Amino acid sequence: ISSSNGSDSKKQRLDESPPSRVLHIRKLPNEVTETEVIALGLPFGKVTNILMLKGKNQAFLELGTEEAAITMVNYYTAVTPQVRNTPVFIQYSNHKELKTDSALNQRAQAVLQAVSAVQDGSSPSSDPGVLELAPPPSPVLRIIIDNMFYPVTLDVLQQIFSKFGTVMKIITFTKNNQFQALLQFSDPVNAQQAKLSLDGQNIYNSCCTLRIDFSKLVNLNVKYNNDKSRDYTRPDLPTGDGDSANKDHSLLGRRSFSLLPLQFSYFSAVGSISPLSAAAAAAAAAGRVALSGSGVSGVLLASNLNEERVKILYNKKDSALIQLSDGNQAQLAMSHLNGQKVFGKVMRVTLSKHQTVALPREGLDDQLLTKDFAGSPLHRFKKPGSKNFQNIFPPSATLHLSNIREGVGEEDLRLLFSNSGGAVKAFKFFQDRKMALIQMSSVEEAIQALMDLHNYDMGGNHHLKVSFSKSTI
């Protein structure tokens, strides 16, 4: 096979090859292992053969069915596959099957047998000294997330791990100040595949690193279906004490998952699915800034603002500099707010070249163009590292209201929000009536209502807190 792919004319012909269950992978990094190449194919089905051409940085991978190969090629057409942070190229081979000399290809075959054994749940028949994988001890994985710059939620975990099999139950919790989860597959073999492929991978660029081990538990007992725990086999379970399910904890609703390349990888630094919204992914791609925020300025430039409604830069009244507490928050604000409509104009938000916003000397800002918000009561998220950071969502038509004063009813709140210039489409109190969801008729109306009514004085030292929700009513 190696000789049949040497010339450019043959390569040209390969590009136009019809679908085949054998795939030709090119531009692999020098130190690539067989396991990493096999991992490219694992989520799509059984891998039945592999041939490594290490001198040429190429490999051939044979999948169990043509359908699996087509799914794999279609996926990697939308999302550039990466091995060790290097983009690789995958196309159909003009071979319909791989005939490999097992003597020459012994190591690759040993790895394949070991991985196949994991897939089948049997034990490998190869020499026990060669990469034999012990049978998986449990269908339950214990997941720890290091460098958690961004919230990782139950929905995000379910989305990631279900690529490897049926996820039955998830319990999330914080222990030793670390976010952890227990996740149960229907089969220990799927748990082993997920552990092999995902352990050590980052969910976002340079942060939210997955550390995965088998749990000593073999079955999880889930009492409540909410944002902290879920049993997918029992949709009838209650949400619990009304606390966690009602607090908008999960990062983004499922509708916001996006296949934009933010370097999230399911397996072996391959591919890319982002639990951030499409807007966030697009902004991050445009800024080409790693989401860890390392070395990123905390200052944003907001422009194309409505000059009648905003007073800011002296010579450029449609622009403002806004300093956030760090680069992570600036990146998140940029990704959520760039392109949103405010006061009838589409706002542009980019990272500024300025590192800080300098406050003018006393008496020199007669137009009041600069303001220090360090001690402002408007902050929703005052404590660094607070769990409330999990409630930061992009603008949506539905708003989450909290700190509602006792005795204030639905009609009062509907009237309050209608008066901010919008139409209220739906309303729902939570059980304790201290929190509610209110849905406006558009995202722009919701943005306006949030600006007008966050920190609204309801009397009796109750200031209404308004934030964007990931839920709909």
Side-chain angles (χ1 to χ4, degrees):
I1 286 176
S2 58
S3 62
S4 70
N5 289 298
S7 69
D8 285 343
S9 61
K10 290 280 168 84
K11 263 189 193 153
Q12 184 62 41
R13 206 164 70 227
L14 267 180
D15 287 334
E16 295 154 10
S17 296
S20 159
R21 65 192 184 98
V22 179
L23 299 175
H24 180 210
I25 304 167
R26 295 184 289 125
K27 305 230 171 148
L28 288 162
N30 288 331
E31 64 281 14
V32 70
T33 65
E34 289 87 347
T35 310
E36 287 170 304
V37 175
I38 293 167
L40 286 167
L42 270 184
F44 303 96
K46 184 160 175 127
V47 177
T48 49
N49 209 344
I50 179 171
L51 175 65
M52 300 289 287
L53 307 175
K54 286 208 166 164
K56 297 189 164 193
N57 300 84
Q58 296 180 16
F60 288 90
L61 198 64
E62 180 186 276
L63 276 76
T65 64
E66 195 171 287
E67 185 186 31
I70 291 169
T71 307
M72 180 170 164
V73 168
N74 287 347
Y75 177 77
Y76 289 132
T77 302
V79 175
T80 304
Q82 296 202 344
V83 176
R84 301 194 180 205
N85 295 322
T86 306
V88 298
F89 296 88
I90 297 179
Q91 61 201 30
Y92 298 116
S93 164
N94 54 3
H95 299 277
K96 289 296 171 197
E97 62 178 324
L98 279 182
K99 294 187 175 66
T100 51
D101 179 340
S102 59
L104 293 172
N105 204 22
Q106 195 170 10
R107 178 181 157 73
Q109 289 301 308
V111 176
L112 187 65
Q113 275 193 296
V115 175
S116 300
V118 176
Q119 284 183 320
D120 297 341
S122 61
S123 61
S125 57
S126 60
D127 176 347
V130 187
L131 278 164
E132 181 167 340
L133 298 174
S138 163
V140 179
L141 295 176
R142 186 182 64 132
I143 302 155
I144 296 175
I145 298 190
D146 288 337
N147 303 321
M148 195 160 124
F149 287 110
Y150 291 91
V152 174
T153 61
L154 188 145
D155 283 336
V156 169
L157 292 172
Q158 194 268 343
Q159 181 90 358
I160 294 165
F161 282 82
S162 60
K163 285 285 149 196
F164 297 90
T166 304
V167 174
M168 295 177 73
K169 303 171 188 177
I170 306 178
I171 298 172
T172 64
F173 54 96
T174 302
K175 186 177 176 184
N176 304 331
N177 285 332
Q178 274 195 308
F179 179 84
Q180 301 194 19
L182 293 169
L183 184 144
Q184 181 176 341
F185 279 101
S186 57
D187 189 320
V189 167
N190 302 129
Q192 186 152 11
Q193 284 180 352
K195 180 181 182 303
L196 274 172
S197 296
L198 290 173
D199 188 26
Q201 298 300 326
N202 293 332
I203 296 179
Y204 301 108
N205 293 357
S206 319
C207 69
C208 298
T209 308
L210 293 162
R211 304 277 172 225
I212 304 171
D213 284 306
F214 288 106
S215 169
K216 296 204 166 41
L217 300 168
V218 291
N219 189 29
L220 298 179
N221 180 29
V222 176
K223 291 181 181 168
Y224 303 116
N225 279 345
N226 54 35
D227 54 357
K228 299 270 176 60
S229 63
R230 207 163 297 164
D231 184 336
Y232 295 95
T233 66
R234 295 197 54 201
D236 55 312
L237 286 178
T239 57
D241 57 9
D243 178 46
S244 64
N246 290 341
K247 282 199 179 164
D248 257 358
H249 277 324
S250 90
L251 177 61
L252 290 169
R254 286 199 183 119
R255 60 197 160 77
S256 299
F257 279 82
S258 135
L259 275 174
L260 284 163
L262 250 187
Q263 279 191 358
F264 167 76
S265 52
Y266 292 126
F267 32 82
S268 272
V270 170
S272 148
I273 197 163
S274 164
L276 284 177
S277 67
R288 286 186 176 76
V289 181
L291 278 176
S292 65
S294 51
V296 176
S297 148
V299 181
L300 297 173
L301 172 67
S303 57
N304 201 34
L305 304 172
N306 184 315
E307 291 183 36
E308 307 295 313
R309 308 294 299 266
V310 177
K311 277 196 165 74
I312 266 333
L313 289 185
Y314 186 76
N315 297 323
K316 202 165 178 357
K317 293 281 167 57
D318 74 341
S319 300
L321 289 175
I322 299 145
Q323 182 176 349
L324 287 97
S325 67
D326 61 36
N328 292 322
Q329 290 189 16
Q331 184 83 43
L332 200 60
M334 176 177 81
S335 62
H336 285 344
L337 298 176
N338 183 40
Q340 296 290 350
K341 224 172 183 187
V342 182
F343 300 131
K345 297 192 77 172
V346 175
M347 179 167 64
R348 297 278 162 244
V349 183
T350 55
L351 288 169
S352 167
K353 62 180 186 290
H354 296 282
Q355 294 301 307
T356 58
V357 173
L359 290 167
R361 289 204 300 280
E362 216 172 319
L364 292 182
D365 186 15
D366 55 349
Q367 291 195 26
L368 302 176
L369 296 180
T370 310
K371 188 168 180 182
D372 183 355
F373 286 93
S376 167
L378 295 169
H379 294 301
R380 297 170 183 76
F381 310 106
K382 291 192 179 88
K383 293 181 197 152
S386 160
K387 278 189 184 170
N388 287 338
F389 279 89
Q390 296 181 40
N391 301 337
I392 299 174
F393 305 108
S396 65
T398 308
L399 297 168
H400 181 269
L401 315 182
S402 61
N403 209 30
I404 298 168
R405 188 182 179 185
E406 198 175 339
V408 174
E410 177 176 338
E411 285 312 308
D412 302 314
L413 289 163
R414 278 179 175 266
L415 185 64
L416 183 64
F417 277 77
S418 299
N419 284 347
S420 76
V424 176
K425 283 184 73 177
F427 182 91
K428 179 178 145 194
F429 262 124
F430 291 136
Q431 285 169 336
D432 59 5
R433 295 180 75 86
K434 290 179 184 167
M435 294 193 294
L437 292 177
I438 191 162
Q439 188 176 337
M440 308 302 287
S441 61
S442 70
V443 175
E444 190 179 0
E445 283 183 12
I447 291 172
Q448 181 71 55
L450 180 142
M451 290 163 71
D452 290 346
L453 295 171
H454 174 59
N455 211 43
Y456 173 80
D457 188 352
M458 303 185 84
N461 204 23
H462 271 70
H463 287 80
L464 185 67
K465 295 210 174 333
V466 184
S467 53
F468 297 114
S469 169
K470 60 134 182 115
S471 308
T472 51
I473 303 172

